[in-house]
């Protein structure tokens, strides 16, 4: 923890939701046969990964605001919505070193989608500020790994 209070907040409010989301991912693995790679016999495993879920950030945002407020300052906060929706769909291949009994390489290029919706109203000393945001991010990720030589 860096002393800001965000570490414990992340662990209590956000991390359990991320773990639940990851637990809902669907993975399908299919043995695709042997291949010659760099003169060695390797096993190929085709992978498919798909999943989606939503993180509810309302309580985390309220707790962060409370952490940042100076003592004695009265603030009324309403968080009507604060969600991050995530979707992932991709395929790739894991190459296994059959003789060495370890990973040789892995590559996957999933399509990723993230939607952020936030609606917050804050009243400080009779002055009300409304904040509304909706953001959509789409893209393709690249995940790769290779055994060190």
């Amino acid at each position: 923890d860096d002393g800001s209070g965000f570490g414990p907040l992340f662990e209590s409010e956000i991390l359990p939701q991320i773990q639940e989301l990851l637990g809902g991912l669907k993975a399908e693995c299919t043995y695709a046969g042997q291949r010659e790679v760099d003169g060695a016999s390797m096993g190929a495993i085709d992978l498919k990964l798909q999943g989606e879920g939503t993180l509810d950030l309302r309580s985390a945002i309220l707790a962060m605001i409370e952490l940042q407020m100076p003592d004695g300052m009265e603030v009324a906060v309403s968080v009507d919505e604060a969600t991050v929706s995530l979707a992932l769909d991709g395929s790739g291949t894991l190459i296994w070193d059959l003789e060495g009994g370890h990973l040789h390489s892995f590559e996957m290029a999933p399509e990723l989608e993230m939607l952020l919706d936030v609606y917050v109203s804050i009243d400080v000393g009779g002055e009300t500020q409304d904040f509304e945001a909706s953001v959509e991010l789409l893209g393709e990720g690249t995940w790769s790994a290779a055994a060190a030589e």
Side-chain angles (χ1 to χ4, degrees):
D1 184 21
D2 62 4
S4 69
F6 291 131
L9 177 64
F10 177 81
E11 288 179 12
S12 67
E13 297 290 334
I14 299 171
L15 187 57
Q17 293 185 67
I18 292 173
Q19 290 170 330
E20 184 177 332
L21 186 136
L22 291 175
L25 289 176
K26 294 177 187 170
E28 180 182 311
C29 301
T30 305
Y31 182 66
Q34 290 188 17
R35 300 181 183 172
E36 285 289 318
V37 178
D38 299 329
S41 184
M42 305 284 174
I45 301 167
D46 291 335
L47 304 166
K48 291 183 181 178
L49 189 60
Q50 189 276 328
E52 58 185 50
T54 300
L55 306 177
D56 184 347
L57 304 178
R58 288 178 296 184
S59 60
I61 288 175
L62 287 170
M64 281 190 272
I65 290 170
E66 187 176 308
L67 282 171
Q68 298 299 310
M69 283 300 117
D71 290 337
M73 180 178 274
E74 290 189 33
V75 177
V77 179
S78 171
V79 180
D80 296 327
E81 183 176 1
T83 58
V84 176
S85 299
L86 304 165
L88 172 133
D89 189 6
S91 60
T93 303
L94 182 143
I95 303 296
W96 189 260
D97 184 330
L98 296 173
E99 187 176 310
H102 58 79
L103 171 83
H104 175 270
S105 61
F106 168 77
E107 290 193 16
M108 181 175 269
E111 292 180 10
L112 306 167
E113 180 178 320
M114 183 176 86
L115 305 171
L116 170 68
D117 288 306
V118 179
Y119 305 96
V120 178
S121 180
I122 300 175
D123 186 305
V124 179
E127 295 284 329
T128 301
Q129 297 290 320
D130 294 323
F131 174 78
E132 181 178 331
S134 187
V135 177
E136 179 179 32
L137 301 172
L138 306 171
E140 187 174 292
T142 302
W143 302 340
S144 63
E149 295 185 22

